[in-house]
């Protein structure tokens, strides 16, 4: 799927999480949320909500729309031709092996890791920020999906660019964004403050949070200014 389609379903997922309008509603079971939703006819509510979610920001983005327009060609070049062709051309791998390993096996593994965010990270793990929702913190998913498994945090603070409280722990995606922020290409990054996290975890969490039940540690964290962005310092 291209960026536009992926972002659309992601927005619908966050707005209508675990309802009939959620494209990969985890309440319909592991297999449905993992991969079944991509093969089955979507629930009518999903079709309705996909049409009403605001996508004007991405529609105004020339790169996103360019990728959407040329997606089949780009998919062929970057997902099949280059990964399969490079070993064949440069070190005489045979085409059959390269096709099955570098396209089919690789693609199958990376897709399943991404799918785990919608299935596993909505089922098994801790809920330090909100025990009333089904999304969880899952270390295995975070390691495999480069930081996308801190899913309890992500659903409580979906606008936090780090998609996790600790941007540096098993979160290569955050470091990737940080690198581009350093270059100046990424900006206006938002993060939840320690105080916000503390209050939410204390009020709604399942008690598994490492410091939010300890005022002293909160003070220390605020005092140290741990990982505070400019936005956080303002709030
Ligand atoms: Zn999300
Ligand atoms: Zn989710």
């Amino acid at each position: 799927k291209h960026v536009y389609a992926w972002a659309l379903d992601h927005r619908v997922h966050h707005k209508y999480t675990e309802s009939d309008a959620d494209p990969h509603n985890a309440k319909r079971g592991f297999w449905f949320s993992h991969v079944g939703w991509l093969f089955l006819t979507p629930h009518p509510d999903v079709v309705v909500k996909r049409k009403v979610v605001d996508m004007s920001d991405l529609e105004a983005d020339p790169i996103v729309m360019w990728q959407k327009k040329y997606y089949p060609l780009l998919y062929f070049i970057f997902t099949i031709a280059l990964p399969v062709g490079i070993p064949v051309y440069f070190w005489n791998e045979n085409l059959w092996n390269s096709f099955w390993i570098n396209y089919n096996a690789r693609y199958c593994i990376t897709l399943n890791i991404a799918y785990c965010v919608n299935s596993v990270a909505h089922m098994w793990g801790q809920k330090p920020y909100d025990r009333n929702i089904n999304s969880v913190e899952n270390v295995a998913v975070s390691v495999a999906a480069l930081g996308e498994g801190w899913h309890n945090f992500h659903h409580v603070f979906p606008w936090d660019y780090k998609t996790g409280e600790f941007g540096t722990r098993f979160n290569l995606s955050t470091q990737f964004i940080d690198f581009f922020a350093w270059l100046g290409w990424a900006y206006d990054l938002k993060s939840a403050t320690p105080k916000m996290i503390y209050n939410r975890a204390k009020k709604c969490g399942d008690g598994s949070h490492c410091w939010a039940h300890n005022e002293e540690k909160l003070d220390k964290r605020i005092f140290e200014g741990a990982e505070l962005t400019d936005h956080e310092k303002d709030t």
Side-chain angles (χ1 to χ4, degrees), residues 157-163 187-192 229 231-232:
F157 302 107
W159 43 265
D160 187 313
Y161 85 98
K162 294 186 301 222
T163 70
Y187 43 83
D188 293 343
L189 304 177
K190 289 185 204 159
S191 270
T229 62
H231 169 82
E232 284 180 319

Side-chain angles (χ1 to χ4, degrees), residues 11-117:
R11 287 176 184 186
V12 177
H13 168 63
H14 275 276
K15 203 162 163 54
Y16 305 102
T17 311
E18 301 201 345
S19 71
D20 284 338
D22 179 350
H24 34 83
N25 177 9
K27 286 201 175 131
R28 291 178 69 178
F30 178 85
W31 289 111
F32 179 80
S33 61
H34 192 72
V35 68
W37 69 281
L38 289 162
F39 294 99
L40 299 169
T41 308
H43 190 284
D45 289 2
V46 174
V47 180
V48 171
K49 299 304 181 191
R50 271 178 181 155
K51 287 193 188 118
V52 297
V53 163
D54 180 20
M55 297 296 284
S56 55
D57 55 336
L58 294 187
E59 276 150 15
D61 187 316
I63 296 173
V64 170
M65 298 318 278
W66 180 85
Q67 195 243 9
K68 181 172 185 275
K69 188 173 172 193
Y70 294 105
Y71 185 69
L73 179 67
L74 292 168
Y75 178 93
F76 177 75
I77 295 171
F78 291 103
T79 312
I80 307 175
L82 285 178
V84 173
I86 286 171
V88 173
Y89 184 82
F90 287 101
W91 54 91
N92 298 323
E93 182 54 76
N94 89 43
L95 186 63
W96 190 243
N97 286 348
S98 194
F99 176 69
W100 282 98
I101 302 291
N102 270 15
Y103 172 54
N104 290 297
R106 174 189 58 82
Y107 197 45
C108 179
I109 292 166
T110 49
L111 279 182
N112 273 283
I113 289 171
Y115 296 163
C116 280
V117 178

